[in-house]
Amino acid sequence: MPESHKAEKRRIQKANRAAGIGDEQGRIVRVKAAAVMSKCTICAVELKVTKTCTEIKQHAENKHGKTIEEVFPDAMPAAEEMNAARATPAAAPGPTKKEKKKAAAGGLDDLLSAGLSAAPGKKKGGKK
Ligand SMILES: [Zn+2]
């Protein structure tokens, strides 16, 4: 009999408890932080600060032709804080996009250095 969703959940929660993560039930609870608002210094509209600040950026650039820093001075620090909080292991299981990219680049470097170290030497003493 295949494992039911309920059993799977229980199993994961048990594993979480054993690993010492999650709450007393072993559940990983994502605590949603209260929305951070940033006020436009020009038209005083309040916009929600997100990780990417898309809305704020659009407002600053399209409405006022300025940068986020000029119009929403407190937005970027708040967004960076948000990104930093997200980067903690509890909040983001598994490698981040950046880490994956880095790993891929590292693999590429390995290939490159392997290719480079294998290439020279053979031509030594050859025709001039
Ligand atoms: Zn504005």
Side-chain angles (χ1 to χ4, degrees):
M1 202 176 102
E3 188 183 51
S4 70
H5 285 298
K6 205 172 170 185
E8 187 190 12
K9 208 167 154 188
R10 285 230 178 101
R11 184 171 52 79
I12 291 167
Q13 287 181 358
K14 197 179 171 187
N16 286 344
R17 275 203 304 274
I21 53 175
D23 64 5
E24 69 276 2
Q25 300 289 313
R27 287 177 301 202
I28 308 284
V29 185
R30 279 202 183 183
V31 183
K32 266 201 175 176
V36 181
M37 304 301 283
S38 189
K39 210 171 199 175
C40 175
T41 53
I42 296 168
C43 67
V45 72
E46 274 199 347
L47 290 177
K48 197 171 147 192
V49 177
T50 59
K51 294 186 296 296
T52 48
C53 288
T54 313
E55 212 180 327
I56 285 174
K57 197 175 175 185
Q58 273 178 355
H59 180 99
E61 288 175 359
N62 299 341
K63 207 152 188 176
H64 306 301
K66 292 181 184 290
T67 61
I68 298 177
E69 285 82 3
E70 283 177 289
V71 187
F72 298 96
D74 54 344
M76 285 316 277
E80 271 164 32
E81 211 168 280
M82 243 178 250
N83 287 323
R86 213 181 137 79
T88 55
T96 61
K97 261 187 194 171
K98 206 175 172 184
E99 279 167 353
K100 274 184 189 168
K101 206 172 171 185
K102 203 175 164 187
L108 205 67
D109 280 350
D110 283 351
L111 281 175
L112 261 173
S113 57
L116 284 174
S117 60
K122 280 190 177 177
K123 281 188 180 174
K124 256 187 187 173
K127 284 177 195 169
K128 276 181 185 172

